[in-house]
Amino acid sequence: MKRALVTGITGQDGSYLAELLLAKGYEVHGIVRRASTFNTGRIDHVYQDRHVDGARLVLHYGDLADSANLVKLVYEVAPDEVYHLGAQSHVRVSFDIPEYTHDITALGTVRLLEAIRQSGLVRTRVYQASSSEMYGRTTVAPQDESTPFAPVSPYGVAKVAAYWTAVNYRDAYRMHVSNGILFNHESPRRGETFVTRKVSRAVAAIRAGLEQHVWLGNLDARRDWGYAPEYVEAMWRIVQHDAPDDYVVATGETRSVRELCERAFAHAGLDWREHVRIDERYRRPNEIDRLQGDAAKARRVLGWEPRVRFDELVALMVDADSKLVDDARAGRVTRMPR
């Protein structure tokens, strides 16, 4: 039984990755931050079924700001694979808390890789979660592994630092460390402050007569949106490859926030123009106009292909949030969408 350690296991990607690894027979260890409220909603159903097919899920309290704790955890767990997904991952929020964003997203990566190195786990394979935000205001489209980085947010800058930290540990210490440069990937488990989930939740509430409007920022921003469960499969494939390397994971299609609104509201039989309002507070100090990934290398080397496309993704998110609203109104217990 392989043993995996996952940072950020309570997030969207972490929860889908935990499901994938457990289904493959792994023993999965996740790091969670201590909080005064339960923050494990995305993985509660997995945790309850942790002994299915002999697989196990074990949660540990920890923090990417605490290097001593990371060394202790890595040494005790002795993982075969590490999936480093933990970060302060909200781009707009990173402008409000830049120091914290750098501490957790950039230095947190240093602390984790150094913990693995100090523990002597030279055969441990590491996945480092990179981001399309690293490309920033690039003039190259689409973006692939050779496209220069030009980040325009504290989050993007911190992710660039984490990327090069991973490359440095791979080169300097011959560690099996790979970067997955994932473009935007969404699901019904996406955080409620991210634009795709903000729109799908608003559509569900407006359809039910509970709200009238949703407030957004830049409708012209274009992104390459994929389906999160497929992207965590790419993470796993990256780690299984014999040689560590860096890969772009994307659909190759780019759509605007306006198109997102059009499709989401239309799926519920609504006209988005009657319900979408603009609030300048939601605009970033630096905007990225267009991101579009070229995942040719991932297709060629890993055999990975995106299957869920934009319209299907938007529909399944609206349907999931509509079900949550309907269940809540009917007094039924709601669970995190699968």
Side-chain angles (χ1 to χ4, degrees):
M1 181 182 292
K2 284 186 178 180
R3 186 177 300 146
L5 177 64
V6 182
T7 71
I9 196 170
T10 59
Q12 169 189 256
D13 292 2
S15 66
Y16 285 121
L17 180 62
E19 288 180 349
L20 176 70
L21 295 176
L22 289 170
K24 291 182 179 296
Y26 280 66
E27 178 179 302
V28 180
H29 294 255
I31 299 177
V32 298
R33 286 176 298 166
R34 176 71 177 90
S36 59
T37 57
F38 292 110
N39 59 354
T40 58
R42 292 183 178 93
I43 58 171
D44 281 345
H45 67 284
V46 184
Y47 194 68
Q48 291 163 3
D49 300 331
R50 61 191 179 280
H51 296 295
V52 173
D53 298 327
R56 296 179 61 238
L57 173 63
V58 182
L59 300 181
H60 307 265
Y61 285 121
D63 197 305
L64 290 170
D66 186 348
S67 57
N69 176 257
L70 289 175
V71 172
K72 177 176 177 290
L73 279 176
V74 168
Y75 183 80
E76 291 179 350
V77 173
D80 300 292
E81 300 171 3
V82 173
Y83 295 85
H84 178 37
L85 313 182
Q88 190 303 99
S89 60
H90 198 287
V91 179
R92 176 61 189 84
V93 172
S94 75
F95 286 98
D96 299 325
I97 49 173
E99 181 180 346
Y100 177 79
T101 298
H102 280 265
D103 186 36
I104 299 303
T105 305
L107 288 178
T109 302
V110 176
R111 295 182 186 109
L112 179 63
L113 290 175
E114 188 63 11
I116 295 168
R117 189 183 74 84
Q118 289 184 20
S119 299
L121 301 175
V122 294
R123 291 185 174 84
T124 296
R125 298 188 175 194
V126 183
Y127 172 85
Q128 204 292 119
S130 292
S131 168
S132 59
E133 290 288 328
M134 300 188 306
Y135 294 118
R137 206 169 286 157
T138 180
T139 58
V140 178
Q143 297 90 44
D144 63 15
E145 295 81 5
S146 65
T147 304
F149 300 138
V152 295
S153 69
Y155 171 76
V157 173
K159 276 297 185 182
V160 169
Y163 172 95
W164 285 116
T165 297
V167 171
N168 179 249
Y169 272 74
R170 181 170 71 209
D171 293 345
Y173 304 115
R174 300 296 184 264
M175 292 172 62
H176 195 293
V177 184
S178 299
N179 285 294
I181 308 173
L182 272 58
F183 281 64
N184 294 64
H185 46 288
E186 318 299 318
S187 77
R189 298 182 194 173
R190 189 55 145 154
E192 296 173 355
T193 60
F194 290 83
V195 66
T196 48
R197 186 75 194 286
K198 187 175 181 180
V199 169
S200 65
R201 291 183 72 245
V203 170
I206 292 169
R207 181 190 67 89
L210 302 176
E211 297 178 7
Q212 288 298 317
H213 303 107
V214 59
W215 299 85
L216 303 175
N218 181 13
L219 299 185
D220 296 319
R222 302 184 67 87
R223 294 294 184 268
D224 185 329
W225 277 303
Y227 186 40
E230 297 178 351
Y231 283 44
V232 301
E233 179 188 345
M235 297 177 190
W236 180 79
R237 293 192 182 205
I238 289 171
V239 172
Q240 306 317 303
H241 200 262
D242 288 339
D245 206 345
D246 309 314
Y247 298 89
V248 164
V249 179
T251 70
E253 299 177 354
T254 181
R255 304 296 184 98
S256 68
V257 176
R258 181 176 283 101
E259 290 175 274
L260 167 67
C261 294
E262 290 173 352
R263 301 295 196 281
F265 279 91
H267 184 68
L270 300 169
D271 185 344
W272 71 278
R273 291 167 294 190
E274 296 179 3
H275 303 285
V276 174
R277 299 291 183 269
I278 302 300
D279 188 333
E280 294 298 324
R281 292 177 299 174
Y282 293 124
R283 290 186 181 272
R284 303 175 185 176
N286 280 331
E287 288 282 0
I288 299 176
D289 296 327
R290 177 190 179 96
L291 290 173
Q292 180 181 8
D294 180 356
K297 181 179 177 181
R299 290 195 298 270
R300 183 180 70 255
V301 178
L302 305 175
W304 179 85
E305 289 273 3
R307 297 178 296 277
V308 174
R309 296 297 182 176
F310 181 74
D311 287 354
E312 183 182 355
L313 172 62
V314 172
L316 69 86
M317 290 184 68
V318 170
D319 289 343
D321 274 321
S322 295
K323 185 177 186 305
L324 287 178
V325 169
D326 292 343
D327 286 350
R329 297 182 79 185
R332 294 188 292 266
V333 176
T334 60
R335 297 183 64 183
M336 181 62 61
R338 297 282 179 139

